[in-house]
């Protein structure tokens, strides 16, 4: 088990690498790896595949290599948007929660610390698609990286407009969607 400890994501970690292939270009695109363990590999799909997806590419072949041993090729579906909210484990409550920070009050949103009306919540996610000022694949995100499409956030069946949506400065591949809790929004997580 190993997590990256450099400013940018490496192409290999613990002698594991991941490659993406497409017949559209005949090229190999290396994945960038933040974490590996015996049962899990986290990999960032390189930004270089985004223009191909925008031109209609819907699948890519992925291969995991350990040392000099190439793995089997698997077909992986691709989409321009595939949003997913990160989660974290709160050991004091023995539960998983959405990775949501109450920026107004300064705490993680949980059942013990629910969001309140008029609070601004920062929701951390991935898969929110193209951005302005796109960082290099695997690089730490700089300032003013915003999503081209603004996501809709739904809490308890109530649709909210995002206050802002972009990538989190100082992190690699993490999106942040800021929403304001309104009086019409259920306040329990």
């Amino acid at each position: 088990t190993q997590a990256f400890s450099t400013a940018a994501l490496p192409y290999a970690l613990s002698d594991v690498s991941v490659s993406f292939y497409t017949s559209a270009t005949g090229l190999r695109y290396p994945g960038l790896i933040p974490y590996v363990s015996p049962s899990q590999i986290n990999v960032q799909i390189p930004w270089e595949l985004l223009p191909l997806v925008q031109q209609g590419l819907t699948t890519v072949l992925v291969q995991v290599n350990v040392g000099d041993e190439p793995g089997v090729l698997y077909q992986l579906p691709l989409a321009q948007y595939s949003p997913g909210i990160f989660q974290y484990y709160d050991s004091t409550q023995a539960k998983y929660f959405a990775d949501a920070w109450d920026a107004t009050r300064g705490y993680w949103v949980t059942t013990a610390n629910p969001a309140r009306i008029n609070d601004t919540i920062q929701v951390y996610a991935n898969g929110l698609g193209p951005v302005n000022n796109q960082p290099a694949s695997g690089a730490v995100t700089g300032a003013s990286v915003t999503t081209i499409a603004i996501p809709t956030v739904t809490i308890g069946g109530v649709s909210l407009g995002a206050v802002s949506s972009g990538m989190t400065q100082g992190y690699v591949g993490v999106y942040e969607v800021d929403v304001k809790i309104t009086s019409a929004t259920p306040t329990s997580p």
Side-chain angles (χ1 to χ4, degrees), residues 22-58:
T22 172
S23 59
T25 63
L27 298 175
R28 172 185 161 288
Y29 300 87
L32 297 122
I33 304 176
Y35 175 84
V36 295
S37 75
S39 61
Q40 178 176 324
I41 301 169
N42 294 358
V43 61
Q44 181 187 44
I45 296 173
W47 284 109
E48 289 78 9
L49 289 174
L50 181 59
L52 299 173
V53 172
Q54 291 170 326
Q55 295 169 13
L57 181 71
T58 58

Side-chain angles (χ1 to χ4, degrees), residues 108-185:
W108 294 108
V109 177
T110 66
T111 50
N113 297 310
R116 301 193 194 304
I117 294 171
N118 294 321
D119 287 357
T120 298
I121 306 301
Q122 298 167 332
V123 180
Y124 297 97
N126 65 5
L128 299 183
V131 294
N132 296 306
N133 302 320
Q134 176 183 300
S137 292
V140 173
T141 301
S144 302
V145 179
T146 58
T147 58
I148 292 173
I150 302 298
T152 299
V153 177
T154 303
I155 300 176
V158 176
S159 183
L160 303 172
V163 174
S164 65
S165 175
M167 297 190 76
T168 308
Q169 186 175 353
Y171 289 85
V172 178
V174 177
Y175 290 85
E176 177 183 323
V177 179
D178 296 348
V179 295
K180 183 132 182 152
I181 303 300
T182 66
S183 59
T185 309

Side-chain angles (χ1 to χ4, degrees), residues 67-87:
D68 293 333
E69 295 296 319
V72 176
L73 290 169
Y74 292 96
Q75 194 169 39
L76 178 73
L78 290 178
Q80 188 166 236
Y81 303 100
S82 184
I85 297 173
F86 290 120
Q87 63 179 1

